[in-house]
Amino acid sequence: MLVKPSLSSLLTIYLTTVQKSIFSAALTAVALLSVGFKEPETPASLTQQQLNEQSVLALNWVQQSGEYAALTHQAFNTARTIFDYVRSQKIRNLAVIVDIDETVLDNSRYQAGLIDSNNRFNSSSWNQWIAAKQAVAVPGSVEFVNYVNANGGKVFFITDRTKSSQKDGTGNDLEVLTIDNLKSLGFTGVDPSTVILKGEFTKTIAGKIDTSKEWRRAAVINGQADGKPYNVVALIGDNLNDLDDKAGQTNQARRTYVESNKNRYGSIGKVSDNSIFEPAYITLPNPVYGAWELGIYNPKALGKQQLNELSPSQLSQQRKQALSRWLSALPSKP
């Protein structure tokens, strides 16, 4: 027998269907939104050895590619052209200031030595590397330095290697070791007055000693370094701070700084009245480490205060988060 449903039964069925549809639509909306606004996944636990693996390709590029050597030669050729131009203007007491590490000395073998180990950079192993005196010359650096020194100029090496250290247990004088390494590669004009290390020509600010390179560059210009004031033609380094300490700390600030000073890279300011205004900035490539890498990390975003508190997993996580990525290029997850 056919039973005719009552009006109340039909109403109950309708409301139930509507509620299910609304609930289903809400779930679909949440799922769709989660695709675009997905919370970052908690990184799997990484060891320091696994984190070190991320440097393999950059190290191979430095050690193996012709492009790296082409860029360093290009930088030193540009610096030589600028030096020759200023020299042609009959300006006296010309100087060029260069950084040491990854500017004239290639330490990629030290960095490569960390691969397949659970070690990270530390001052003890770094000082042992300096003591070994096995750094090689960056392509083009010896020829450039020697050309300047042989043609009326003087090259000063300003580095954040420290003057001496007891941390490696031997008390080696890192200044002597650095000078020996440079001389062994054929660099001329290398002595304690031209190799200026961290801790020399400091300035006390608010009761604290400031070891910034700014004061060491000033020592060359005002004559403190070797008793003679110099007109600095070019500043050469692999880090923006080798050229100007005002470059900033975040990568956004550093990019803004470069854009604001773009006319100084590979170009010298006007030359007049026997003096130089705005020496040229020459930057060498270093994809392995530097202030640019420090600019990636944000310890406070992970509830930490200092960079050294971040685990290898957290460092890897923030490296990935810093990337601008086209996610459509990635295969869909099952």
Side-chain angles (χ1 to χ4, degrees):
M1 182 178 77
L2 180 64
V3 179
K4 186 178 180 179
S6 65
L7 180 61
S8 61
S9 298
L10 289 172
L11 184 60
T12 300
I13 293 170
Y14 172 76
L15 290 174
T16 302
T17 302
V18 170
Q19 287 174 338
K20 287 182 178 179
S21 298
I22 293 173
F23 182 68
S24 177
L27 286 177
T28 302
V30 169
L32 289 172
L33 285 172
S34 68
V35 173
F37 301 93
K38 187 177 181 181
E39 289 292 325
E41 297 179 1
T42 302
S45 179
L46 289 181
T47 64
Q48 182 62 43
Q49 179 175 338
Q50 290 171 315
L51 186 69
N52 291 346
E53 287 290 318
Q54 296 180 10
S55 297
V56 168
L57 195 58
L59 285 163
N60 268 297
W61 185 76
V62 170
Q63 294 184 351
Q64 303 294 332
S65 76
E67 287 80 359
Y68 170 75
L71 286 170
T72 61
H73 280 297
Q74 180 174 281
F76 289 117
N77 287 342
T78 299
R80 175 171 171 167
T81 299
I82 292 169
F83 174 76
D84 283 341
Y85 165 72
V86 176
R87 189 162 59 101
S88 73
Q89 302 302 301
K90 310 301 181 184
I91 295 177
R92 303 177 61 186
N93 297 344
L94 301 182
V96 173
I97 294 176
V98 299
D99 172 52
I100 289 183
D101 296 310
E102 281 43 80
T103 298
V104 296
L105 289 184
D106 171 3
N107 302 285
S108 60
R109 289 181 62 196
Y110 168 81
Q111 297 292 335
L114 299 177
I115 305 298
D116 294 329
S117 83
N118 222 23
N119 302 318
R120 65 196 312 178
F121 173 91
N122 63 73
S123 58
S124 178
S125 63
W126 174 247
N127 291 344
Q128 291 173 32
W129 164 253
I130 294 176
K133 298 182 286 189
Q134 291 189 25
V136 298
V138 169
S141 60
V142 175
E143 295 88 342
F144 171 74
V145 167
N146 294 353
Y147 180 83
V148 171
N149 286 331
N151 287 276
K154 190 167 187 175
V155 176
F156 289 87
F157 305 81
I158 294 182
T159 174
D160 272 347
R161 292 187 176 195
T162 53
K163 190 173 178 63
S164 61
S165 175
Q166 303 295 324
K167 292 182 180 179
D168 59 3
T170 65
N172 285 324
D173 188 324
L174 301 184
E175 181 178 48
V176 171
L177 294 167
T178 299
I179 289 173
D180 287 347
N181 197 166
L182 289 167
K183 285 183 174 180
S184 71
L185 296 170
F187 288 97
T188 61
V190 183
D191 59 53
S193 70
T194 58
V195 177
I196 305 175
L197 290 86
K198 189 174 184 177
E200 299 184 69
F201 304 111
T202 61
K203 186 173 183 178
T204 301
I205 301 176
K208 294 183 178 180
I209 297 177
D210 188 345
T211 60
S212 166
K213 287 188 175 183
E214 180 178 352
W215 320 125
R216 285 174 272 164
R217 291 190 288 263
V220 172
I221 294 169
N222 64 31
Q224 286 180 283
D226 72 349
K228 180 193 295 184
Y230 288 90
N231 288 303
V232 176
V233 176
L235 303 169
I236 307 177
D238 66 297
N239 191 321
L240 295 181
N241 299 80
D242 295 329
L243 318 176
D244 188 347
D245 287 351
K246 300 180 182 65
Q249 294 184 341
T250 68
N251 283 332
Q252 178 59 60
R254 294 166 76 81
R255 291 194 300 270
T256 299
Y257 172 86
V258 170
E259 182 62 26
S260 299
N261 294 275
K262 59 187 177 184
N263 292 332
R264 296 191 63 177
Y265 292 91
S267 178
I268 194 166
K270 67 177 183 178
V271 178
S272 63
D273 299 327
N274 295 323
S275 61
I276 296 174
F277 298 87
E278 298 184 346
Y281 289 167
I282 307 291
T283 310
L284 280 86
N286 179 1
V288 181
Y289 71 90
W292 64 267
E293 183 192 352
L294 301 182
I296 291 173
Y297 306 126
N298 181 8
K300 293 184 178 179
L302 295 172
K304 308 293 184 181
Q305 296 300 313
Q306 303 294 330
L307 179 60
N308 59 13
E309 296 178 54
L310 296 184
S311 69
S313 298
Q314 291 170 325
L315 293 171
S316 180
Q317 177 189 23
Q318 292 200 335
R319 288 178 182 182
K320 291 179 181 178
Q321 288 174 338
L323 293 171
S324 176
R325 296 194 284 180
W326 182 44
L327 295 178
S328 295
L330 302 177
S332 300
K333 291 184 178 180

